[in-house]
Amino acid sequence: MDKMTDTGSASLTIGDKTLSLPILKGSIGPDVIDVRKLYAETDCFTFDPGFTSTAACESAITYIDGDKGVLLYRGYPIDQLAKQSTFLEVCYLLINGELPNAAQYVEFERSITTHTMLHDQFDRFFQGFRRDAHPMAVMTASVGALSAFYHDSLDVNDPDHRRISMIRMIAKIPTIAARTFKYSIGQPFVSPRNELGYAENFLRMCFAVPAEDYKGNPILARAMDRIFILHADHEQNASTSTVRLAGSTGANPFACIAAGIAALWGPAHGGANEEALNMLREIGKPENVPAYVQGVKDRKYRLMGFGHRVYKNYDPRAKVMQETCHEVLKEVGDANDPLLQVAMELEKIALSDDYFISRKLYPNIDFYSGITLSAMGFPSEMFTVLFALARTVGWISQWQEMIADPQQKIGRPRQLYTGPAYRDFVSVDKRA
Ligand code: ACO
């Protein structure tokens, strides 16, 4: 790696000392000021809680231009990938940097489909959970437990170990996710089928039952595949940064991905689509939209599925998600679903209202994903599990990039300390 170029310098004056800081340029996007020598030369740190102005790594995987509403995986626009590619091809792209040729694709698909089964003892692991456990609790624990089953691939310094661990996670996490769902509804686990595509196999593991033959639906399988593509990576978000930080210590990849799943679970990150769906249900019918929007403008509540920390334009994933939502609802029998009508009315009113326009609030991916997943048969507790399944490839691509980066160091942020300065210990009998 290290494709960044030096394009000049910035001056920083602290007291009577002026420091020259290199300015580095990536292939696109904002330049960065290299502050790596700041502490050594000035005894000062930078202060940036929430990393709003800090690039914590160099990466060549995903690019976002939030003002223009652009998302690229390895340079390819998300809408082109969602419409013309497949999730497995996107996995190959994210991990390897290039789209596969026909032979590479066949080999990659074969390696994934031949690793989808779980160790027989792994199934006993699920029995330890209560049936009403949140599926994300089961996911976090189960994915972490993979490191107890694959001792043969935990050496992060060995490229072969890294490769097989990545394959195992892309292959086995759908099986774990489907078992998490089946366990929560008290149905028997369904084994993977190697002749099926990735999304089709996952839907079968979720919805097939022993009492009848399962008939796959290509439209729903394509929608699932697209949803996986849309969620596959999103640059240095909270869960990806968590994976990188955990990985910077040399922790094994299964443990790192479990850490990412835990971070994704939070309502400010992976949980918003459930809240968007609840909001549409609460509004109930299109006639109630104007009053609801007035409540948002009166700051009684926020419009869920609107706004984004990075996108100050239409989230490019939301456009594809909207189309997918229409296709799914048409297929499962209710193109006039009242929730879809509410969503469309809400979007129309919000996009023409100055409150939203002036704040650059546009629909994000979560606005339509909840309705879509619900129509496909998933309960809302499973939404974040599906997000984790799709994001696994992004996490492992970023993890792999970090491990292979010669500049990589253990992640160790500094702080602005505001606690007590030095003081002597006082024994309990002398304390006030
Ligand atoms: N509804 C109404 N007003 C909003 C919304 C919203 N959804 N989002 C932001 N605003 C307003 C704020 O009140 C604020 O107005 P003000 O300047 O008059 O006080 C202004 O827009 C800026 O808001 P911030 O909270 O500073 O923006 P930030 O970039 O920090 O927030 C966030 C981004 C958290 C996503 C926010 O837009 C939000 O809460 N959205 C709803 C939840 C949601 O959909 N989250 C999913 C994000 S996508 C994902 O995680 C995959």
Side-chain angles (χ1 to χ4, degrees), residues 196 199-201 203-205 207-208 213-222 331:
L196 299 179
E200 200 181 359
N201 177 49
L203 289 175
R204 183 179 171 278
M205 288 193 289
F207 297 115
D213 290 337
Y214 175 80
K215 287 190 198 66
N217 180 323
I219 291 176
L220 298 189
R222 182 69 193 126
E331 180 60 20

Side-chain angles (χ1 to χ4, degrees), residues 269 299 302-306 308-309 312 355 359 364:
H269 193 3
R299 294 174 179 273
R302 284 192 169 200
L303 198 52
M304 299 312 292
F306 258 68
H308 196 277
R309 170 58 64 78
K312 301 303 172 194
Y355 177 93
R359 289 172 179 78
N364 59 49

Side-chain angles (χ1 to χ4, degrees), residues 231 234 264 266-273 275-276 296-297 299 301-312 315 317 355-356 358-367 387 391:
H231 289 87
H234 212 230
L264 185 73
H269 193 3
N273 51 11
E275 298 206 29
V296 173
K297 289 161 69 174
R299 294 174 179 273
Y301 36 74
R302 284 192 169 200
L303 198 52
M304 299 312 292
F306 258 68
H308 196 277
R309 170 58 64 78
V310 179
Y311 293 116
K312 301 303 172 194
D315 178 342
R317 302 167 301 172
Y355 177 93
F356 299 92
S358 62
R359 289 172 179 78
K360 300 186 177 172
L361 297 171
Y362 294 88
N364 59 49
I365 186 170
D366 293 326
F367 191 64
F387 191 164
R391 185 57 58 84

Side-chain angles (χ1 to χ4, degrees), residues 38-55:
L38 185 70
Y39 179 54
E41 299 198 4
T42 66
D43 243 1
C44 286
F45 298 135
T46 53
F47 183 60
D48 185 19
F51 302 105
T52 53
S53 297
T54 297

Side-chain angles (χ1 to χ4, degrees), residues 217 219-220 324-341 371-372 374-377:
N217 180 323
I219 291 176
L220 298 189
T324 304
C325 182
H326 282 281
E327 283 166 23
V328 166
L329 289 177
K330 195 166 156 221
E331 180 60 20
V332 294
D334 197 358
N336 296 317
D337 184 316
L339 291 187
L340 182 61
Q341 303 303 321
I371 320 176
T372 314
S374 171
M376 289 171 79

Side-chain angles (χ1 to χ4, degrees), residues 219-236:
I219 291 176
L220 298 189
R222 182 69 193 126
M224 190 80 261
D225 202 65
R226 256 188 203 168
I227 291 170
F228 291 159
I229 294 173
L230 295 177
H231 289 87
D233 196 41
H234 212 230
E235 210 228 61
Q236 308 308 323

